[in-house]
Amino acid sequence: MELLLKDENLKPLLKDILVEIITERKDEFKDIFKEVLEDIALTQAINEGLNSGIASKDELFKVLNENWSFKLFY
């Protein structure tokens, strides 16, 4: 038996599969999505860092302490 998928059938099938994964495995999907967003943010931060000057330890901790809800200890 040969299964042929035409373009007009493939898109709705993929949508149904994605909806099923998202609704039935919300926690797993949420974790994967969170990891992807963190990877994107880390990549952007690395690229920005490569294009900026060198910062001192004090400058780094000042920025971190201003932008985080908790204070870092050092």
Side-chain angles (χ1 to χ4, degrees):
M1 182 168 116
E2 186 176 333
L3 176 65
L4 296 175
L5 290 176
K6 297 181 181 178
D7 287 342
E8 66 266 7
N9 296 335
L10 188 57
K11 188 174 179 179
L13 179 62
L14 289 174
K15 281 184 177 181
D16 290 343
I17 291 170
L18 282 174
V19 168
E20 185 175 334
I21 290 171
I22 292 169
T23 56
E24 291 185 8
R25 297 184 174 191
K26 288 180 185 177
D27 291 337
E28 293 172 20
F29 182 78
K30 185 173 82 173
D31 291 342
I32 292 169
F33 192 69
K34 181 181 173 189
E35 288 288 328
V36 169
L37 291 177
E38 288 174 351
D39 288 347
I40 291 170
L42 181 58
T43 301
Q44 289 176 339
I46 290 170
N47 287 334
E48 287 176 18
L50 291 173
N51 296 322
S52 66
I54 296 174
S56 70
K57 180 179 175 182
D58 290 334
E59 291 171 319
L60 173 66
F61 279 98
K62 180 180 180 224
V63 169
L64 290 174
N65 282 324
E66 289 172 354
N67 292 299
W68 289 66
S69 60
F70 60 92
K71 298 299 179 192
L72 299 172
F73 301 100
Y74 82 103

